[in-house]
């Protein structure tokens, strides 16, 4: 029997708080290579807090985050910078710089992490925009394109350095249903084409059932993971009642 591959991401006993108020306590889970992994739960359960700890925007009060077996939490600044280069991030708003063209936005991580000349950066930016269906929009500003196109441009920037892992914070927020589903298709294509590991924070049930391989559900009162598995497993009768309610949109508890 072959050994299990090293997890793309491993979280061990992670705890975090805001101003000494606990938000998450002793959270542990693994994300497999090339998996589309969703973090779900109700408002205030700590989804975005967990994501911010995963990408280094916040430091846990306890526990570790490992990428392919290497501790990101304990890494020195040089090691952390090297590891940061291996993953991308699509923020909820797209987070594009409004004063820069799409080409210039996509070029930012290339300028930050490589020594490539300007003409090569512009060439890569055009290629990445083409990957997300935005060929010909290189010189457009964010204000000149739709919200869905801004999300795709944000994804192009997240893919600029060919990362092994891409994180998404509520990617369908603010999008109409058709545009949201098209973005789901694009996320799946990225995984299937490049073998990218995908981590998505979301409350969009259609997206969860549409593209998630596995899911963890966080709960505010428990300050941690209350359910883990495929969306279908978590929605079955007899599974965690809160997970069933969340995924089926119907109550399974006495009123």
């Amino acid at each position: 029997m072959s050994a299990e591959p090293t997890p793309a991401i491993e979280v061990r006993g992670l705890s975090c708080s805001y101003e000494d108020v606990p938000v998450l306590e002793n959270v542990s889970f693994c994300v497999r290579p090339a998996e589309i992994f969703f973090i779900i739960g109700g408002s205030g359960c700590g989804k975005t807090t967990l994501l911010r700890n995963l990408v280094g925007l916040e430091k846990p009060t306890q526990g570790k985050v490992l990428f392919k077996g290497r501790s990101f939490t304990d890494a020195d600044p040089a090691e952390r910078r090297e590891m940061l280069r291996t993953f991308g991030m699509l923020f909820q708003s797209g987070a594009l710089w409004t004063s820069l063209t799409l080409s210039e936005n996509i070029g930012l991580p290339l300028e930050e992490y490589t020594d490539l000349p300007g003409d090569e950066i512009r060439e890569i930016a055009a290629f990445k925009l083409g990957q997300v269906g935005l060929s010909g929009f290189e010189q457009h500003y964010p204000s000149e394109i739709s919200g869905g196109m801004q999300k795709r441009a944000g994804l192009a920037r997240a893919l600029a350095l060919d990362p092994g892992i891409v994180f998404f914070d509520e990617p369908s927020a603010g999008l109409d249903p058709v545009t949201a589903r098209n973005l789901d298709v694009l996320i799946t294509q990225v995984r299937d084409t490049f073998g990218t590991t995908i981590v998505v924070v979301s409350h969009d049930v259609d997206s969860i059932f549409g593209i998630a391989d596995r899911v963890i559900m966080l709960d505010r009162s428990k300050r941690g993971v209350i359910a883990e598995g495929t969306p279908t497993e978590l929605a079955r009768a007899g599974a965690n009642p809160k997970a069933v309610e969340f995924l089926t949109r119907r109550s399974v508890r006495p009123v």
Side-chain angles (χ1 to χ4, degrees):
M1 181 181 293
S2 60
E4 284 285 323
T6 301
I9 305 169
E10 184 178 359
V11 176
R12 297 179 182 171
L14 184 142
S15 298
C16 55
S17 60
Y18 286 130
E19 298 180 353
D20 298 325
V21 177
V23 177
L24 296 170
E25 295 181 336
N26 197 31
V27 171
S28 297
F29 63 90
C30 292
V31 181
R32 299 163 185 158
E35 184 171 44
I36 298 179
F37 186 89
F38 271 60
I39 300 168
I40 69 172
S43 298
C45 70
K47 301 187 299 295
T48 297
T49 297
L50 176 56
L51 184 64
R52 289 175 64 85
N53 277 265
L54 292 180
V55 301
L57 293 176
E58 295 178 14
K59 187 173 182 179
T61 55
Q62 184 177 316
K64 296 181 184 294
V65 178
L66 295 87
F67 292 101
K68 296 185 178 179
R70 297 175 61 192
S71 175
F72 183 67
T73 312
D74 298 331
D76 63 35
E79 291 173 320
R80 181 170 284 223
R81 178 179 171 83
E82 176 195 345
M83 295 169 77
L84 283 169
R85 192 188 187 285
T86 67
F87 49 80
M89 176 78 192
L90 177 58
F91 296 94
Q92 185 174 147
S93 64
L96 298 172
W97 291 93
T98 57
S99 61
L100 302 179
T101 65
L102 298 190
S103 177
E104 290 168 338
N105 267 283
I106 279 65
L108 287 175
L110 294 162
E111 293 175 359
E112 173 71 17
Y113 288 100
T114 75
D115 296 320
L116 293 172
D119 56 342
E120 287 189 35
I121 288 176
R122 287 187 291 273
E123 184 177 331
I124 293 171
F127 176 71
K128 294 300 178 182
L129 285 167
Q131 286 183 324
V132 300
L134 290 176
S135 291
F137 287 88
E138 291 83 1
Q139 299 309 310
H140 283 64
Y141 288 89
S143 62
E144 297 174 328
I145 60 176
S146 69
M149 295 168 76
Q150 290 178 25
K151 288 287 181 81
R152 283 190 277 155
L155 178 55
R157 185 176 61 188
L159 297 174
L161 293 167
D162 297 322
I165 303 170
V166 179
F167 298 91
F168 295 80
D169 185 13
E170 299 285 4
S172 61
L175 301 181
D176 65 81
V178 173
T179 302
R181 298 295 79 76
N182 289 340
L183 185 59
D184 284 347
V185 170
L186 189 55
I187 291 171
T188 304
Q189 288 174 343
V190 168
R191 190 277 301 272
D192 293 345
T193 302
F194 304 106
T196 309
T197 301
I198 306 290
V199 177
V200 185
V201 166
S202 181
H203 64 270
D204 185 333
V205 174
D206 289 335
S207 290
I208 294 165
F209 278 101
I211 66 173
D213 293 316
R214 279 191 311 127
V215 172
I216 59 169
M217 182 171 183
L218 303 180
D219 181 71
R220 183 175 184 176
S221 64
K222 299 295 185 182
R223 302 194 187 104
V225 178
I226 61 168
E228 179 175 351
T230 68
T232 302
E233 290 169 347
L234 268 57
R236 285 177 184 154
N240 184 283
K242 289 186 177 181
V244 175
E245 287 182 12
F246 185 96
L247 292 169
T248 65
R249 300 189 176 106
R250 65 175 184 269
S251 177
V252 296
R253 292 175 290 181
V255 178

